[in-house]
């Protein structure tokens, strides 16, 4: 493979593309696999610290076809849950498909019966012609294929996607226990798979609602207490509703930021054309056909006070960018620092078609090279804006910060970012799937973040970044593709990076050669690995479940 050469499209924009040749084929990483419902042992090489007691729970797509019908998009595959249980230096593995209604209906008919993000279910051939014709006028029903993440509400684990359905699951057996509908508790049509948590367990999330007057973005709060064993989302409330810039074309968002006192919603120019989505079945188009990138619109940051539920009158603007995951957000000296991985182009969501991931040769290289690289960046938002605040001058007075914040009017601040990395990170394709020591440093000043380098369409390295020096450590081996890193603090940890990193490593070049990797978070050296003779497709997100603490 040739080296990656950053190409600056415009000095002010800093949009980085790449020139890579000879990317290896990774199609085995997006193929269907069998579940392993009973625990099987692993072979441990090296040493897995005996103080780690708990389970790494992972979620992602595991089945990409039913019968002779195939899904189109990576996000469409049926949810396959994984559990790596770690006890006294030993590891067992099990996996189970989520028994969602989508999975059960598809399995019973051995065809795709329920539409997903990038795949429109065809009319049932068992229906007569008139019934099939009428079905084209029905709206696409939301899927309950919760394949994105494990989340926790009131002490229970759920798997989640971005529709209104989540599933409560047993974190030990991975059995599906209960389908839960957000819309039965609050007026939303979905919620993200990336909630945030206060130290007391209060959960915050975001979800859209679609009303007669158009779409709204909603901030959701779920209390930590439960009134009984059957409690699910009882007590959930909408903290605040925000009107989109264009109610017929709201922004798509995968996650949001949160500091100690504010929820930060990033209204980005990845747009959803509601007319196209509503008429998708009539036009024979899937949901993703209604999602588009509008580079002519600015990005807007909305701040919502967590205590009052009120949106702050000042709006913070930036040039067009796209973001899937935030790193951290914290308040200090009258500023809110918002750290996130972002790109200067928003086409990526529609690039992850399965046919693209299965390409090889020049077609694969071209696909990768046309995608803007995700890079970690910081925006500095001044909180104390008043009628006396001067216009047209940089309000960011933080030392050694190159970010800017300029008042254009009394309620509008235009911001530029500073890089949270050195130039050498671009040699690793940027960074995504960021993680921090969440339990102790979320919403607080911090020094380290971890993530995957993306010198391919999926992560191909693990990276630890030091924000003080902008230097980083890397774990990378040929033909090995790591999942997002999950940080586990060691008992009685004093320093921020006292602990380990867990990541599931898969390979397209050798059958049944998956392993759980354990790195020393401080040195980023391998401590041990637990080899398991199964194939796992490249997945999305997960959590560590422990009897003494939980990493969210």
């Amino acid at each position: 493979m040739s080296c990656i050469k950053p190409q600056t499209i415009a000095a002010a924009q800093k949009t980085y593309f790449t020139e890579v040749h000879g990317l290896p084929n990774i199609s085995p990483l997006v193929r269907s696999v069998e579940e392993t419902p009973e625990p099987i042992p692993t072979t441990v090489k090296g040493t897995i610290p005996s103080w780690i007691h708990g389970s790494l729970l992972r979620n992602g797509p595991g089945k990409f076809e039913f019968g002779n019908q195939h899904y189109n998009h990576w996000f469409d595959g049926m949810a396959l849950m994984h559990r790596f249980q770690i006890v006294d230096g030993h590891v067992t593995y099990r996996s189970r498909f989520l028994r969602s209604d989508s999975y059960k209906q598809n399995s019973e008919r051995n065809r795709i019966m329920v539409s997903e993000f990038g795949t429109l279910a065809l009319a049932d051939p068992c229906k007569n012609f008139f019934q099939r014709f009428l079905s084209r006028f029905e709206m696409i029903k939301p899927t309950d294929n919760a394949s994105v993440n494990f989340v926790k509400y009131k002490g229970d684990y759920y798997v989640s996607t971005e529709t209104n359905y989540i599933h409560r699951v047993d974190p030990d057996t991975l059995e599906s226990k209960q389908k839960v509908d957000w819309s039965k508790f609050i007026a939303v049509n979905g919620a993200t798979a990336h909630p945030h948590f206060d130290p007391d367990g209060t959960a915050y999330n975001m979800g859209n609602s679609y009303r007669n007057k158009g779409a709204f973005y909603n901030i959701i709060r779920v209390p930590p207490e439960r009134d009984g064993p059957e409690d699910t989302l009882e007590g959930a409330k909408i903290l605040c509703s925000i009107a989109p810039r264009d109610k017929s074309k709201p922004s798509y968002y995968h996650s949001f930021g949160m500091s100690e006192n504010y929820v930060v919603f990033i209204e980005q120019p990845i747009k959803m054309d509601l007319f196209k989505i509503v008429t998708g079945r009539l036009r024979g188009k899937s949901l993703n056909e209604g999602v588009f990138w509008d580079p002519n619109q600015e990005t807007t940051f909305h701040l919502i006070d967590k205590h009052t539920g009120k949106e702050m009158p000042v709006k913070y603007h930036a040039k067009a960018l796209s973001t899937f995951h935030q790193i951290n957000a914290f308040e200090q000296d009258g500023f809110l620092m918002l750290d996130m991985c972002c790109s200067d182009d928003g086409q990526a969501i529609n690039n992850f078609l399965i046919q693209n991931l299965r390409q090889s040769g020049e077609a694969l290289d071209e696909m990768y090279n046309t995608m803007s690289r995700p890079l970690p960046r910081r925006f500095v938002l001044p909180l104390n804006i008043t009628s006396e605040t001067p216009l047209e001058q940089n309000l960011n007075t933080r030392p050694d910060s190159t970010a800017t914040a300029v008042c254009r009017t009394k309620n509008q601040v235009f911001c530029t970012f500073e890089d949270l990395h050195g130039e050498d990170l671009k040699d690793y394709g940027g960074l995504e799937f960021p993680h921090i020591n969440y339990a102790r440093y979320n919403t607080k000043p911090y020094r380290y973040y971890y993530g995957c380098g993306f010198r391919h369409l999926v992560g191909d390295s693990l990276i630890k970044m030091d924000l003080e020096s902008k230097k980083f450590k890397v774990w990378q081996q040929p033909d090995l593709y790591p999942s997002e890193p999950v940080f586990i603090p060691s008992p009685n940890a004093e320093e921020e990076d006292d602990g380990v990193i867990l990541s599931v490593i898969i390979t397209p070049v050798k059958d049944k050669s998956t392993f759980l990797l354990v790195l020393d978070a401080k040195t980023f050296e391998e401590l041990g690995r637990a080899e398991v003779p199964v194939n796992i497709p490249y997945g999305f997100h997960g959590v560590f479940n422990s009897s003494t603490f939980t990493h969210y």
Side-chain angles (χ1 to χ4, degrees):
M1 185 192 306
S2 73
C3 65
I4 293 182
K5 302 175 182 177
Q7 298 177 341
T8 305
I9 304 304
Q13 291 271 337
K14 284 192 175 180
T15 303
Y16 289 98
F17 291 88
T18 53
E19 189 178 320
V20 172
H21 303 286
L23 285 173
N25 180 282
I26 58 167
S27 57
L29 305 188
V30 280
R31 68 183 176 195
S32 299
V33 299
E34 299 295 323
E35 65 180 4
T36 308
E38 297 300 322
I40 61 174
T42 65
T43 301
V44 173
K45 294 186 176 178
T47 301
I48 294 178
S50 59
W51 56 261
I52 305 176
H53 278 252
S55 301
L56 178 65
L57 304 173
R58 293 268 307 154
N59 198 358
K63 186 173 177 60
F64 298 95
E65 68 282 314
F66 284 91
N68 61 3
Q69 296 184 352
H70 297 256
Y71 288 113
N72 298 323
H73 200 283
W74 186 27
F75 298 173
D76 298 345
M78 293 291 99
L80 180 61
M81 302 170 289
H82 312 268
R83 179 187 188 230
F84 291 85
Q85 184 182 18
I86 309 172
V87 179
D88 296 329
H90 300 281
V91 181
T92 58
Y93 169 81
R94 77 192 314 169
S95 65
R96 194 184 294 270
F97 280 105
L98 175 68
R99 264 47 177 193
S100 61
D101 289 347
S102 299
Y103 179 88
K104 290 186 285 189
Q105 290 178 41
N106 296 338
S107 298
E108 287 167 5
R109 302 295 293 272
N110 198 30
R111 63 188 300 271
I112 297 174
M113 298 290 295
V114 180
S115 296
E116 299 291 340
F117 176 70
T119 305
L120 182 68
L122 301 177
D124 189 346
C126 294
K127 292 182 178 180
N128 62 41
F129 173 80
F130 186 63
Q131 289 172 320
R132 293 201 301 273
F133 174 74
L134 287 180
S135 70
R136 297 184 64 183
F137 295 88
E138 298 173 353
M139 283 186 60
I140 298 175
K141 296 178 181 178
T143 180
D144 68 334
N145 175 36
S147 64
V148 177
N149 202 0
F150 276 85
V151 298
K152 197 175 187 182
Y153 297 110
K154 301 183 181 182
D156 282 336
Y157 278 100
Y158 296 81
V159 285
S160 174
T161 179
E162 296 178 341
T163 69
N164 52 305
Y165 296 118
I166 58 178
H167 283 265
R168 187 165 63 90
V169 297
D170 185 319
D172 295 329
T173 66
L174 302 180
E175 291 176 332
S176 311
K177 293 297 185 182
Q178 184 180 4
K179 177 180 173 180
V180 178
D181 184 349
W182 276 102
S183 66
K184 301 295 184 185
F185 301 91
I186 51 177
V188 296
N189 297 90
T192 81
H194 289 288
H196 276 293
F197 302 88
D198 277 342
D200 67 354
T202 300
Y204 295 83
N205 208 334
M206 285 197 63
N208 281 5
S209 57
Y210 304 105
R211 313 171 192 171
N212 292 336
K213 295 182 179 180
F216 286 85
Y217 313 118
N218 301 287
I219 312 299
I220 303 164
R221 181 165 60 198
V222 181
E225 306 88 6
R226 58 195 305 166
D227 295 328
E230 301 305 314
D231 243 17
T232 57
L233 299 175
E234 283 83 359
K237 293 183 178 180
I238 291 178
L239 195 63
C240 177
S241 294
I242 303 168
R245 182 181 299 148
D246 181 344
K247 289 187 178 181
S248 67
K249 295 182 176 68
S251 289
Y252 168 80
Y253 54 93
H254 183 72
S255 60
F256 61 97
M258 189 181 83
S259 67
E260 182 179 358
N261 295 297
Y262 298 96
V263 168
V264 186
F265 168 53
I266 300 112
E267 188 175 17
Q268 61 186 348
I270 301 178
K271 298 294 183 178
M272 299 184 294
D273 188 321
L274 296 186
F275 178 77
K276 286 186 176 180
I277 290 173
V278 168
T279 60
R281 183 176 290 280
L282 179 63
R283 296 181 300 109
K285 302 292 185 181
S286 54
L287 291 173
N288 68 312
E289 299 277 351
V291 180
F292 67 99
W293 166 246
D294 184 355
N296 297 315
Q297 290 207 21
E298 292 182 347
T299 302
T300 304
F301 304 109
H302 301 262
L303 269 58
I304 298 88
D305 188 308
K306 290 162 59 178
H307 310 290
T308 66
K310 295 188 180 300
E311 183 182 3
M312 307 306 288
V314 176
K315 303 294 182 290
Y316 303 86
H317 294 256
K319 70 181 183 68
L321 59 83
S322 67
T323 181
F324 282 87
H325 302 109
Q326 287 70 56
I327 304 171
N328 200 359
F330 61 93
E331 301 157 42
Q332 192 175 53
D333 302 327
F335 296 94
L336 188 150
M337 273 55 70
L338 176 63
D339 298 350
M340 57 189 186
C341 296
C342 45
S343 302
D344 298 303
D345 181 90
Q347 305 284 2
I349 194 169
N350 281 325
N351 286 338
F352 286 106
L353 299 175
I354 292 174
Q355 66 182 26
N356 291 341
L357 291 166
R358 290 175 176 170
Q359 286 180 345
S360 60
E362 291 183 4
L364 176 59
D365 295 344
E366 182 179 356
M367 168 56 58
Y368 179 83
N369 290 330
T370 56
M371 295 172 63
S372 177
R373 299 291 91 218
L375 294 167
R377 296 166 173 171
R378 169 172 293 175
F379 287 89
V380 179
L381 312 182
L383 295 173
N384 302 319
I385 304 295
T386 69
S387 59
E388 304 300 318
T389 301
L391 304 181
E392 302 303 330
Q393 71 180 53
N394 184 15
L395 304 177
N396 179 16
T397 56
R398 289 175 61 83
D400 303 319
S401 174
T402 58
T404 67
V406 175
C407 254
R408 295 198 285 206
T409 68
K410 66 177 182 179
N411 286 328
Q412 189 180 102
V413 178
F414 187 82
C415 302
T416 65
F417 60 83
E418 61 182 295
D419 292 329
L420 295 181
H421 62 88
E423 288 293 306
D424 48 355
L425 182 65
K426 294 166 189 169
D427 294 335
Y428 291 86
L431 181 143
E432 247 294 350
F433 290 151
H435 266 244
I436 62 169
N437 183 343
Y438 191 100
R440 286 185 57 181
Y441 289 90
N442 189 54
T443 76
K444 297 177 175 65
Y446 69 113
R447 181 173 175 178
Y448 302 106
Y449 65 86
Y450 311 86
C452 286
F454 270 73
R455 199 155 47 177
H456 208 302
L457 294 177
V458 299
D460 72 333
S461 62
L462 292 168
I463 292 173
K464 173 190 180 181
M465 180 67 72
D466 183 338
L467 284 172
E468 287 188 4
S469 66
K470 302 290 176 66
K471 296 185 182 300
F472 59 91
K473 301 178 187 295
V474 180
W475 183 93
Q476 184 177 41
Q477 294 184 13
D479 298 318
L480 297 183
Y481 296 85
S483 71
E484 68 173 355
V486 174
F487 177 85
I488 313 298
S490 58
N492 306 312
E494 295 184 1
E495 297 186 336
E496 182 180 339
D497 57 350
D498 281 345
V500 298
I501 291 292
L502 302 182
S503 177
V504 178
I505 313 297
I506 57 179
T507 178
V509 299
K510 189 176 180 182
D511 192 44
K512 297 183 177 179
S513 297
T514 298
F515 62 91
L516 175 67
L517 175 69
V518 183
L519 298 178
D520 183 317
K522 188 176 290 291
T523 65
F524 232 51
E525 296 294 326
E526 180 174 337
L527 297 174
R529 59 178 68 182
E531 299 176 342
V532 55
V534 298
N535 292 317
I536 296 179
Y538 199 88
F540 298 135
H541 300 291
V543 298
F544 186 75
N545 174 33
S546 168
S547 59
T548 55
F549 70 94
T550 299
H551 172 92
Y552 296 108

